[in-house]
Amino acid sequence: MTATTIEHDAMRRALDIARNGPRGINPQVGAVLLSPDGNIIAEGWHRGAGTPHAEVDALSHLPADAARGATAVVTLEPCNHTGRTGPCSEALLEAGVTRVVYAVADPNPRSAGGAERLRTAGVEVEQGVRRAEAADLLESWFAVQRLGRPHVTVKWAQSLDGRGAADDGTSQWITGPEARADVHRRRGRADAIVVGTGTVRADDPSLTAREEDGTLRPHQPIPVVLGRSEVSKDAALRRHPEPFLQYDGDLDAALADLRERGVHRVFVEGGPTVASAFLRAGLVDEILVYLAPVLLGGSRLALTDLGVPSIDAARRLDVVRIERLGDDLLIVARPNAPHPDEGEGS
């Protein structure tokens, strides 16, 4: 049995409410419970580590036996392991759910297997509904599961001729207010923001995420500085709501420590040296290029050496989308590499 129109609509709703959950080590997951006649009887989402998973959250809103014969529509395959909470597959079975529709498979071997457990118990299971939308929502979480490190986004702004600054070193502002506002929105969704000591000395950035009126956004990324040079005692980032962290140039060690601290999404805003170091090391999952319609000339390129000796070794990218932001363009790209295959959509 393929997914119905009602189930597709319910999955869209589940994806919407999944975004209510915090980004972090755990995925953002939403669940919608449908009665046998197709009406929504409960909704739930995962609110963070140690809290009930989306399916259990939805079930908690119903009286006993109210879910018997229901369909559970979930953005991620129900888990099948006991951690801080019990297996969602068992909770659905105990509640009497007879059909489960999910968008993407769980790539974590510790928690995967819920779909098979449900099938074995006689529950109808349909996978792949709105898979692309769910995969986009969980793209960074998938990267963490696959790579064992935080998801890394590298951002830079450049002129049309590829310069990150004028010859005198000034770079504020290459792009316009719309592009800068977009950067702050993205900072507000990150867990950590990374720059090098050179940027700290040259620009004295605050590394905060701000609203368009200049006030601080509710969520602030942890400021991270790469490099051995001491950060000045009057540096702006010392007034950041979160204490800054500093690492030497070992990117792998820095990312490993950040993951241990619960950092899930890293936003790299350093200058050409830091951006190029992440790219050269193959530690970049997403690239944001803010392209301004200006010409600067000179030698201050937006990137430095990437370890590309010839065109055959060029770092190929997949362009995900291009957005117009005022007079500027935002190009969103990812390294040309396969992504997890969670199955075909219905």
Side-chain angles (χ1 to χ4, degrees), residues 11 14-16 18-19 23 27-30 74-77 102-107 127-146 151 264-265 285-286 320-321 334 338-345:
M11 185 65 77
L15 288 164
D16 286 341
R19 294 178 174 87
R23 292 178 182 268
Q28 292 176 298
V29 182
V74 193
T75 56
L76 181 68
E77 177 188 6
Y102 69 90
V104 289
D106 191 333
Q127 73 176 46
V129 175
R130 297 192 175 276
R131 186 187 72 84
E133 295 167 56
D136 185 62
L137 173 67
L138 295 173
E139 193 271 334
S140 64
W141 185 76
F142 282 142
V144 173
Q145 305 310 304
R146 185 174 72 251
H151 178 276
H264 182 61
R265 293 177 65 91
D285 306 296
E286 182 180 58
V320 178
R321 62 183 176 276
R334 293 173 185 156
H339 293 284
D341 182 5
E342 284 80 38
E344 295 300 318

Side-chain angles (χ1 to χ4, degrees), residues 191-313:
D191 300 312
I193 181 169
V194 178
V195 296
T197 52
T199 295
V200 173
R201 286 194 305 271
D203 297 341
D204 192 28
S206 64
L207 302 185
T208 53
R210 298 185 295 278
E211 304 285 0
E212 292 189 28
D213 63 4
T215 58
L216 294 180
R217 287 177 170 265
H219 171 73
Q220 292 295 317
I222 299 169
V224 176
V225 179
L226 296 177
R228 298 178 184 275
S229 299
E230 185 177 354
V231 175
S232 169
K233 289 183 172 53
D234 60 353
L237 69 84
R238 289 189 180 274
R239 299 186 290 278
H240 193 285
E242 299 288 338
F244 77 91
L245 302 172
Q246 187 166 5
Y247 302 95
D248 61 17
D250 188 333
L251 301 184
D252 289 313
L255 291 176
D257 184 70
L258 288 171
R259 189 188 185 202
E260 285 296 313
R261 294 173 182 268
V263 169
H264 182 61
R265 293 177 65 91
V266 170
F267 195 66
V268 178
E269 276 207 64
T273 300
V274 169
S276 300
F278 274 93
L279 287 163
R280 193 165 54 246
L283 295 173
V284 178
D285 306 296
E286 182 180 58
I287 295 168
L288 306 177
V289 180
Y290 293 87
L291 186 61
V294 298
L295 300 174
L296 293 175
S299 60
R300 293 187 178 261
L301 296 174
L303 294 175
T304 61
D305 177 33
L306 297 181
V308 178
S310 67
I311 194 66
D312 292 340

Side-chain angles (χ1 to χ4, degrees), residues 135-203:
D136 185 62
L137 173 67
L138 295 173
E139 193 271 334
S140 64
W141 185 76
F142 282 142
V144 173
Q145 305 310 304
R146 185 174 72 251
L147 302 171
R149 60 162 175 76
H151 178 276
V152 175
T153 294
V154 170
K155 162 263 173 184
W156 68 84
Q158 68 173 59
S159 63
L160 201 58
D161 55 345
R163 269 60 183 177
D167 254 0
D168 65 356
T170 55
S171 60
Q172 297 180 335
W173 298 101
I174 291 177
T175 55
E178 293 89 347
R180 297 198 295 274
D182 186 72
V183 170
H184 280 280
R185 284 191 292 271
R186 293 173 186 275
R187 283 185 182 183
R189 296 200 294 264
D191 300 312
I193 181 169
V194 178
V195 296
T197 52
T199 295
V200 173
R201 286 194 305 271
D203 297 341

